[in-house]
Amino acid sequence: MMSDFPDVLQIEPTNTCNYSCKMCLSTIRKRDKPIFFSLEAYQKIAEEVFPTLKKLVLYGLGEPLMHPNFLILLEIARIHLPPSAKITFTTNGSLLDSEKIDHILDNELADEIIFSCESIEEDTGSQMGHSLDEQTVHNNLEYCLQHKQRDNISIGIETVIMDSNYKELEKVVERFANMKVDFIALSHLYPFNETFEKETIFSMITTEALGILDEVGLGWKEIVLGVSREKFAEQMQESYKAYYTHKDILKPKQRPISDKYQTYVKRAKEKNVLLNISLYLKEEPKRTKLEELRKIFEKCKLIASIKGVELILPSIFPTFEDRNCPYTTQKGGVIRSDGEVVPCFKYLWDHDSFLNSHSRYSSFFSYGNISNKPFLEIWNSESYSSFREKKDKINENFPYCGNCSFSSNNCFYVTEDTSDCWGNEPFCSECPYSVNLTKCLL
C-alpha cells in the first residue's frame, strides 16, 4: 500500500537545448541523442501523482520549450493538479515568443516563469552564458512583463555567478529590478572541469571551520603535525646535548603535543567540523576576490530592497549547521526525460566535476524507470525511502568533504568510489547544492 507522496515533482521535458552556453552541461553533452518526455508517460504520471502535488517543476538539463508539445504538458498539468498547486519552468527565453506567452498567461497554465541570463552586456562570443541583450530574449521578456495578465504570474531571473561576470552583478540586479521582475536568483557556477573551477567564486570550507582556520593563521603547521615546533626544537637541543656529553639519549620522551593543536581540534569537534587546511591554503590567493563578492552582494541587496524586488543569494562560504538537501527538505522527486527516477538535479546525467581541488566522475543514479514501475512504487521503495529518511538528518548521516583535507588531496572516496567514506550511496557528501552554493530553483 502506497503511503507517501511527493510535495514537489520535477520533470525534465527534454535533455537538449538550442543554446550552447560554455559553462552548461547540456553543451558538454551535445553528443547525447535528444530525448523528449513521452506524452503517454506524462499523462500516466499526471493521473497518478499530480492530484497530490503542491508544485510541478518542468525543467532539467535542456531547454523545456524544445519539447514539441510543451504547451500540452502545461495543459495536462493544469487539468490534474489541485487548484492551489503551482506550475513553474525555467527557460533561456529564446523560444518563448508572444504567441506562446499569450497562450500560457491567458489560460493560466503557469504560476512562475524563470528566465536564465548571465549577462546584460552584448554577447561578444567570449561569454560563458548568454546575454539579455540578445534581441529575441529581451523582447520576449519585455512582452511577458507587459502582458495584460502579468499580475497573475511570477516572473523571475536566474543568473549564474562567475569570475567573468561577478563585477557586473549590481548592474544586472538594477536593470532587471527596473524592468519590474518579481525576483532575481543568483547561483554559483557548478564546475564541470578544472577550467570551470577557475571561474568559481566560492569556497566549500564552512564558516564554522573557516573561523578556526583564520584564528590558526601562521600556526597551521602545528595543526597539521599536531606537534609544537618550539617543544620539538627544545627536545632536539636536549638530544644534541645528550649526544655530545655522552648521556643516555635512548630515554623515551613524551611526544611534544602542540597546545594549539589540542585547543583548535577541541573547538572543531565542538562545532562538529573538520579543518581542511589543504583547501584553506590553496584558496588563500582568492580570498580578496571572495571578500569583494561579499561587498557586491551587500550592494545588490540594497538595490533590491530599494527597488522592491526579491533577491535570492547563495552563500560564499557555506554554513555547516544549515546544510540540507533541497529535494529532501521540500519533499521533491525528479523524473528524467527518459523516465528514470533520480534523487536530484545533480544526478540527472553523468558528469565530471572539479571541487575541492580534485576531479571526480559522477554517474547518474536512478531508483527505477516509470516505464517498468509506477512512480509511486519507486518513490516508496525501501531504498529510496531510506535515502530520504537519512537525508533528513544530513549532518548526522553524511560526511561533508568541504572541511576535510583528505578530499582536497585525492581521497579514494572522492575520486574513485561511488559511495562516501561512511558507506552512503549515491555520493552526496560533496554536494554544493546542499550548502547553498549552487542553487536548485524548486
Side-chain angles (χ1 to χ4, degrees):
M1 178 69 67
M2 300 306 173
S3 59
D4 191 37
F5 300 83
D7 287 340
V8 179
L9 184 61
Q10 179 177 354
I11 294 179
E12 179 187 57
T14 181
N15 65 338
T16 191
C17 186
N18 59 323
Y19 274 12
S20 297
C21 299
K22 295 177 183 177
M23 83 298 187
C24 183
L25 184 58
S26 177
T27 302
I28 297 171
R29 294 183 58 90
K30 281 292 186 185
R31 65 184 184 278
D32 288 348
K33 178 183 177 181
I35 301 172
F36 302 98
F37 205 99
S38 159
L39 269 182
E40 181 183 359
Y42 186 85
Q43 181 67 42
K44 287 182 180 179
I45 290 292
E47 295 170 2
E48 178 191 12
V49 186
F50 286 13
T52 62
L53 288 182
K54 294 179 180 179
K55 189 175 186 179
L56 174 68
V57 181
L58 292 175
Y59 178 63
L61 179 63
E63 164 56 44
L65 276 93
M66 289 286 286
H67 194 292
N69 296 305
F70 182 71
L71 295 181
I72 295 177
L73 300 183
L74 294 177
E75 291 168 356
I76 292 172
R78 189 53 84 199
I79 291 170
H80 292 279
L81 287 168
S84 60
K86 293 184 177 181
I87 302 174
T88 180
F89 64 90
T90 300
T91 174
N92 60 37
S94 62
L95 302 178
L96 192 62
D97 56 33
S98 58
E99 184 178 348
K100 292 186 179 71
I101 293 170
D102 286 341
H103 187 78
I104 293 170
L105 271 65
D106 288 342
N107 294 284
E108 298 183 358
L109 296 180
D111 301 281
E112 181 181 76
I113 300 176
I114 304 165
F115 287 74
S116 64
C117 181
E118 279 64 57
S119 173
I120 58 172
E121 305 294 339
E122 184 179 356
D123 190 353
T124 60
S126 62
Q127 294 175 350
M128 292 283 280
H130 63 90
S131 169
L132 174 66
D133 272 358
E134 185 177 333
Q135 199 61 48
T136 301
V137 175
H138 183 277
N139 291 345
N140 291 344
L141 175 59
E142 280 280 16
Y143 187 83
C144 208
L145 291 168
Q146 301 300 323
H147 199 274
K148 62 183 185 296
Q149 300 294 339
R150 166 71 177 92
D151 292 342
N152 296 327
I153 193 165
S154 177
I155 300 173
I157 299 296
E158 179 186 36
T159 293
V160 176
I161 305 166
M162 297 170 281
D163 185 71
S164 54
N165 74 351
Y166 80 99
K167 291 185 179 179
E168 65 173 271
L169 287 179
E170 293 170 65
K171 294 179 182 178
V172 169
V173 171
E174 185 162 24
R175 180 164 177 185
F176 285 123
N178 286 336
M179 294 177 75
K180 302 197 180 304
V181 300
D182 294 296
F183 65 90
I184 301 167
L186 305 183
S187 172
H188 288 293
L189 172 69
Y190 190 102
F192 293 110
N193 56 42
E194 190 168 1
T195 300
F196 290 175
E197 192 272 340
K198 294 173 184 176
E199 278 279 343
T200 61
I201 314 181
F202 64 81
S203 173
M204 292 193 73
I205 299 174
T206 65
T207 54
E208 295 91 342
L210 181 69
I212 298 172
L213 289 167
D214 279 344
E215 200 173 326
V216 169
L218 295 176
W220 64 268
K221 290 182 181 179
E222 290 191 22
I223 306 302
V224 172
L225 300 173
V227 175
S228 166
R229 298 180 68 186
E230 291 79 7
K231 290 181 181 179
F232 182 73
E234 288 175 8
Q235 285 199 4
M236 289 300 296
Q237 285 181 342
E238 289 178 12
S239 296
Y240 282 127
K241 286 180 182 178
Y243 176 80
Y244 287 113
T245 56
H246 304 287
K247 291 183 179 179
D248 182 10
I249 61 172
L250 299 178
K251 183 179 179 181
K253 292 184 177 293
Q254 184 179 4
R255 188 167 182 258
I257 298 295
S258 164
D259 293 333
K260 285 183 180 180
Y261 174 83
Q262 293 176 320
T263 298
Y264 291 122
V265 168
K266 179 182 178 182
R267 196 173 300 173
K269 285 182 178 179
E270 289 172 351
K271 293 180 179 293
N272 196 28
V273 297
L274 300 172
L275 300 177
N276 191 345
I277 294 176
S278 294
L279 187 60
Y280 179 79
L281 295 174
K282 290 174 182 176
E283 290 185 340
E284 186 62 30
K286 72 174 184 180
R287 286 292 291 275
T288 301
K289 192 171 290 186
L290 296 177
E291 176 60 22
E292 185 181 3
L293 180 60
R294 186 192 66 77
K295 293 177 180 178
I296 289 173
F297 276 7
E298 292 302 316
K299 293 177 182 178
C300 288
K301 284 193 283 188
L302 180 60
I303 294 168
S305 177
I306 293 172
K307 300 288 185 179
V309 62
E310 181 185 5
L311 181 63
I312 303 169
L313 292 172
S315 300
I316 299 174
F317 288 95
T319 302
F320 181 73
E321 188 177 356
D322 295 336
R323 180 179 173 226
N324 67 79
C325 172
Y327 286 88
T328 303
T329 302
Q330 298 189 53
K331 204 175 178 183
V334 189
I335 308 178
R336 202 166 75 165
S337 50
D338 60 358
E340 298 288 351
V341 178
V342 304
C344 66
F345 183 87
K346 179 173 174 281
Y347 278 107
L348 271 174
W349 298 93
D350 298 343
H351 66 271
D352 291 298
S353 64
F354 197 94
L355 293 160
N356 289 346
S357 295
H358 72 84
S359 60
R360 175 182 175 82
Y361 181 77
S362 298
S363 301
F364 104 96
F365 189 92
S366 174
Y367 285 102
N369 194 295
I370 59 172
S371 63
N372 303 319
K373 292 181 181 178
F375 172 81
L376 288 178
E377 185 177 337
I378 299 171
W379 173 261
N380 285 284
S381 65
E382 183 178 353
S383 58
Y384 199 178
S385 297
S386 175
F387 173 76
R388 295 196 305 274
E389 185 177 349
K390 290 179 72 175
K391 290 295 285 292
D392 275 334
K393 297 181 179 179
I394 189 171
N395 283 343
E396 293 181 17
N397 297 318
F398 292 80
Y400 178 61
C401 298
N403 287 334
C404 178
S405 284
F406 290 117
S407 70
S408 298
N409 289 281
N410 297 315
C411 159
F412 165 74
Y413 291 99
V414 298
T415 56
E416 301 289 340
D417 205 12
T418 56
S419 68
D420 63 36
C421 59
W422 291 6
N424 298 299
E425 192 173 359
F427 183 87
C428 297
S429 300
E430 202 169 37
C431 176
Y433 293 96
S434 71
V435 286
N436 193 40
L437 293 172
T438 50
K439 298 185 73 65
C440 303
L441 290 181
L442 290 180

